[in-house]
Amino acid sequence: MAQLQKPARLFFNGKIRPWEEGVLHISSEAVTRGLNVFEGLKGYWQEDEKNFGIVAMPRHFARLQRSARLLHIPCPVDYKQFERACHELILSLYRKDKDMWVRATLYVVEGHWGEGTVADLVLTAYQHEKEQPAPIDVGISTWQRSADVTLPPRIKTSSNYQVARLARIEGRDRGFSEMILLNQWGRVAEATGACVLIVRDNVVITPPAFEGRLESITVAIMADICASLGIRFVERPIDRTELYIADEICLVGTLAEIVPIRKIDHYVLPDHSPIINQLAKRFWSAVRGSQPHPGVDLSLIVP
Ligand code: PMP
């Protein structure tokens, strides 16, 4: 059973504190309306094993600010303070044998229906295996991605993950570890915590954000990697049936990284993924620093 780690420390109310001190009042909007915005950042040990690099930190901070702006949540920190807090927490928890995933959340701790809103930056960091993800089987959920006029998928807020949770539970019942959600037009939106890339006739295709996916940083990274490898990359709507006849499919995201899909519903995909393998190879050499890529910026920490 998946259990969330309980690290020794977190960043809460302005400083690093013991894990047990990360407590919010039940009357806060963070609890009563689930009001928060968040980011997930990934940090990798560099090939030399001396430096630790967090991928695309300015872009994650910018998206956190955009989510906060859309929900009228004031951001209590600037980029420098955000970066310093992430570095401090990693330095207090790092292990040589593990990479790390940092969840940065702005929780609304004061305010009522948008008046007097005050947010606190909370950081939690978890250890991750250094392995690359293995291929998985996915299903297409009967649950639907919300729309821009209902709960905008562009906002990275916990409420946007209620349907994702339903889809994951549905997936577990059907024997799938991850699920793809369709949008209100029955076209591909995204997976529960990652975006979908398909390959058809040597072209890498992903739905645009207006089809109901997050404005993903990893999709932007993959587009840059495709450009440098001379692979065509196109953003356009994707029909459900295109998933079943695609040459290759993978999920991409900060936490998911790049996961090849073996089977989708009852359709088995071809067992070789030459283009996804090329993208994955280039992605891994960039995040580990063995072959830097201009599309993969790293905020380096020297423990
Ligand atoms: N969609 C959802 C719903 C996600 O939670 C994530 C992970 N942040 C993604 C897509 C991928 O976004 P990114 O590449 O910025 O991590």
Side-chain angles (χ1 to χ4, degrees), residues 8-23:
R9 285 168 292 283
L10 47 53
F11 183 92
F12 184 86
N13 195 10
K15 63 176 198 188
I16 308 271
R17 298 169 190 272
W19 176 260
E20 293 70 28
E21 288 183 19
V23 178

mmCIF file of all heavy atoms in Angstrom, residues 8-23:
data_model
loop_
_atom_site.group_PDB
_atom_site.id
_atom_site.type_symbol
_atom_site.label_atom_id
_atom_site.label_comp_id
_atom_site.label_asym_id
_atom_site.label_seq_id
_atom_site.Cartn_x
_atom_site.Cartn_y
_atom_site.Cartn_z
ATOM 1 N N ALA A 8 11.687 14.023 8.660
ATOM 2 C CA ALA A 8 11.920 14.594 9.996
ATOM 3 C C ALA A 8 11.539 16.071 10.066
ATOM 4 O O ALA A 8 11.109 16.563 11.099
ATOM 5 C CB ALA A 8 13.393 14.419 10.374
ATOM 6 N N ARG A 9 11.698 16.783 8.948
ATOM 7 C CA ARG A 9 11.472 18.243 8.988
ATOM 8 C C ARG A 9 10.677 18.734 7.793
ATOM 9 O O ARG A 9 10.649 18.100 6.748
ATOM 10 C CB ARG A 9 12.832 18.967 9.013
ATOM 11 C CG ARG A 9 13.539 18.914 10.353
ATOM 12 C CD ARG A 9 14.985 19.380 10.255
ATOM 13 N NE ARG A 9 15.802 18.446 9.491
ATOM 14 C CZ ARG A 9 16.264 17.297 9.948
ATOM 15 N NH1 ARG A 9 16.003 16.926 11.178
ATOM 16 N NH2 ARG A 9 16.990 16.508 9.183
ATOM 17 N N LEU A 10 10.083 19.920 7.973
ATOM 18 C CA LEU A 10 9.422 20.617 6.856
ATOM 19 C C LEU A 10 9.681 22.112 7.016
ATOM 20 O O LEU A 10 10.231 22.547 8.034
ATOM 21 C CB LEU A 10 7.922 20.299 6.796
ATOM 22 C CG LEU A 10 7.037 20.341 8.047
ATOM 23 C CD1 LEU A 10 7.108 21.622 8.809
ATOM 24 C CD2 LEU A 10 5.598 20.075 7.668
ATOM 25 N N PHE A 11 9.293 22.867 5.997
ATOM 26 C CA PHE A 11 9.390 24.329 6.078
ATOM 27 C C PHE A 11 7.969 24.836 6.285
ATOM 28 O O PHE A 11 7.071 24.571 5.480
ATOM 29 C CB PHE A 11 9.990 24.900 4.791
ATOM 30 C CG PHE A 11 10.191 26.382 4.808
ATOM 31 C CD1 PHE A 11 11.408 26.943 5.221
ATOM 32 C CD2 PHE A 11 9.167 27.238 4.414
ATOM 33 C CE1 PHE A 11 11.592 28.322 5.236
ATOM 34 C CE2 PHE A 11 9.343 28.615 4.433
ATOM 35 C CZ PHE A 11 10.555 29.163 4.840
ATOM 36 N N PHE A 12 7.760 25.552 7.377
ATOM 37 C CA PHE A 12 6.402 25.968 7.760
ATOM 38 C C PHE A 12 6.504 27.270 8.523
ATOM 39 O O PHE A 12 7.400 27.424 9.359
ATOM 40 C CB PHE A 12 5.805 24.858 8.652
ATOM 41 C CG PHE A 12 4.376 25.076 9.070
ATOM 42 C CD1 PHE A 12 3.330 24.672 8.247
ATOM 43 C CD2 PHE A 12 4.074 25.658 10.297
ATOM 44 C CE1 PHE A 12 2.011 24.852 8.644
ATOM 45 C CE2 PHE A 12 2.760 25.844 10.690
ATOM 46 C CZ PHE A 12 1.721 25.438 9.866
ATOM 47 N N ASN A 13 5.636 28.230 8.212
ATOM 48 C CA ASN A 13 5.615 29.501 8.923
ATOM 49 C C ASN A 13 7.021 30.121 9.028
ATOM 50 O O ASN A 13 7.491 30.449 10.110
ATOM 51 C CB ASN A 13 4.970 29.301 10.310
ATOM 52 C CG ASN A 13 4.574 30.626 10.953
ATOM 53 O OD1 ASN A 13 4.617 31.676 10.289
ATOM 54 N ND2 ASN A 13 4.226 30.600 12.220
ATOM 55 N N GLY A 14 7.693 30.190 7.878
ATOM 56 C CA GLY A 14 8.944 30.946 7.797
ATOM 57 C C GLY A 14 10.227 30.238 8.142
ATOM 58 O O GLY A 14 11.304 30.800 7.966
ATOM 59 N N LYS A 15 10.162 29.006 8.649
ATOM 60 C CA LYS A 15 11.442 28.312 8.914
ATOM 61 C C LYS A 15 11.313 26.789 8.920
ATOM 62 O O LYS A 15 10.201 26.261 8.910
ATOM 63 C CB LYS A 15 12.072 28.826 10.195
ATOM 64 C CG LYS A 15 11.289 28.592 11.448
ATOM 65 C CD LYS A 15 12.116 29.084 12.645
ATOM 66 C CE LYS A 15 11.527 28.456 13.904
ATOM 67 N NZ LYS A 15 12.055 28.929 15.118
ATOM 68 N N ILE A 16 12.487 26.153 8.955
ATOM 69 C CA ILE A 16 12.510 24.688 9.024
ATOM 70 C C ILE A 16 12.089 24.286 10.446
ATOM 71 O O ILE A 16 12.596 24.830 11.418
ATOM 72 C CB ILE A 16 13.937 24.143 8.762
ATOM 73 C CG1 ILE A 16 14.511 24.716 7.476
ATOM 74 C CG2 ILE A 16 13.981 22.624 8.828
ATOM 75 C CD1 ILE A 16 14.242 23.996 6.221
ATOM 76 N N ARG A 17 11.161 23.353 10.507
ATOM 77 C CA ARG A 17 10.648 22.914 11.810
ATOM 78 C C ARG A 17 10.479 21.399 11.810
ATOM 79 O O ARG A 17 10.439 20.782 10.739
ATOM 80 C CB ARG A 17 9.253 23.518 12.050
ATOM 81 C CG ARG A 17 9.234 25.017 12.093
ATOM 82 C CD ARG A 17 7.782 25.514 12.060
ATOM 83 N NE ARG A 17 7.775 26.960 11.871
ATOM 84 C CZ ARG A 17 7.844 27.831 12.866
ATOM 85 N NH1 ARG A 17 7.915 27.421 14.116
ATOM 86 N NH2 ARG A 17 7.845 29.122 12.617
ATOM 87 N N PRO A 18 10.312 20.803 12.998
ATOM 88 C CA PRO A 18 10.016 19.365 13.026
ATOM 89 C C PRO A 18 8.697 19.080 12.300
ATOM 90 O O PRO A 18 7.778 19.912 12.317
ATOM 91 C CB PRO A 18 9.872 19.061 14.526
ATOM 92 C CG PRO A 18 10.567 20.179 15.224
ATOM 93 C CD PRO A 18 10.444 21.385 14.338
ATOM 94 N N TRP A 19 8.627 17.948 11.646
ATOM 95 C CA TRP A 19 7.455 17.534 10.847
ATOM 96 C C TRP A 19 6.143 17.748 11.608
ATOM 97 O O TRP A 19 5.160 18.248 11.071
ATOM 98 C CB TRP A 19 7.634 16.051 10.491
ATOM 99 C CG TRP A 19 6.502 15.428 9.751
ATOM 100 C CD1 TRP A 19 5.511 14.635 10.273
ATOM 101 C CD2 TRP A 19 6.227 15.530 8.335
ATOM 102 N NE1 TRP A 19 4.652 14.235 9.281
ATOM 103 C CE2 TRP A 19 5.073 14.767 8.077
ATOM 104 C CE3 TRP A 19 6.861 16.173 7.268
ATOM 105 C CZ2 TRP A 19 4.522 14.636 6.807
ATOM 106 C CZ3 TRP A 19 6.305 16.042 5.991
ATOM 107 C CH2 TRP A 19 5.161 15.294 5.775
ATOM 108 N N GLU A 20 6.124 17.396 12.885
ATOM 109 C CA GLU A 20 4.894 17.427 13.701
ATOM 110 C C GLU A 20 4.351 18.850 13.854
ATOM 111 O O GLU A 20 3.186 19.044 14.176
ATOM 112 C CB GLU A 20 5.153 16.843 15.102
ATOM 113 C CG GLU A 20 5.464 15.350 15.132
ATOM 114 C CD GLU A 20 6.821 15.013 14.534
ATOM 115 O OE1 GLU A 20 7.738 15.862 14.567
ATOM 116 O OE2 GLU A 20 6.953 13.889 13.998
ATOM 117 N N GLU A 21 5.184 19.864 13.622
ATOM 118 C CA GLU A 21 4.718 21.247 13.800
ATOM 119 C C GLU A 21 3.964 21.795 12.581
ATOM 120 O O GLU A 21 3.468 22.913 12.618
ATOM 121 C CB GLU A 21 5.898 22.167 14.146
ATOM 122 C CG GLU A 21 6.401 21.941 15.543
ATOM 123 C CD GLU A 21 7.526 22.888 15.942
ATOM 124 O OE1 GLU A 21 7.700 23.944 15.302
ATOM 125 O OE2 GLU A 21 8.256 22.530 16.884
ATOM 126 N N GLY A 22 3.876 21.015 11.524
ATOM 127 C CA GLY A 22 3.157 21.479 10.324
ATOM 128 C C GLY A 22 1.654 21.286 10.475
ATOM 129 O O GLY A 22 1.061 20.410 9.867
ATOM 130 N N VAL A 23 1.038 22.150 11.268
ATOM 131 C CA VAL A 23 -0.377 21.969 11.604
ATOM 132 C C VAL A 23 -1.169 23.226 11.238
ATOM 133 O O VAL A 23 -0.768 24.335 11.569
ATOM 134 C CB VAL A 23 -0.522 21.682 13.127
ATOM 135 C CG1 VAL A 23 -1.988 21.536 13.504
ATOM 136 C CG2 VAL A 23 0.254 20.434 13.502
#
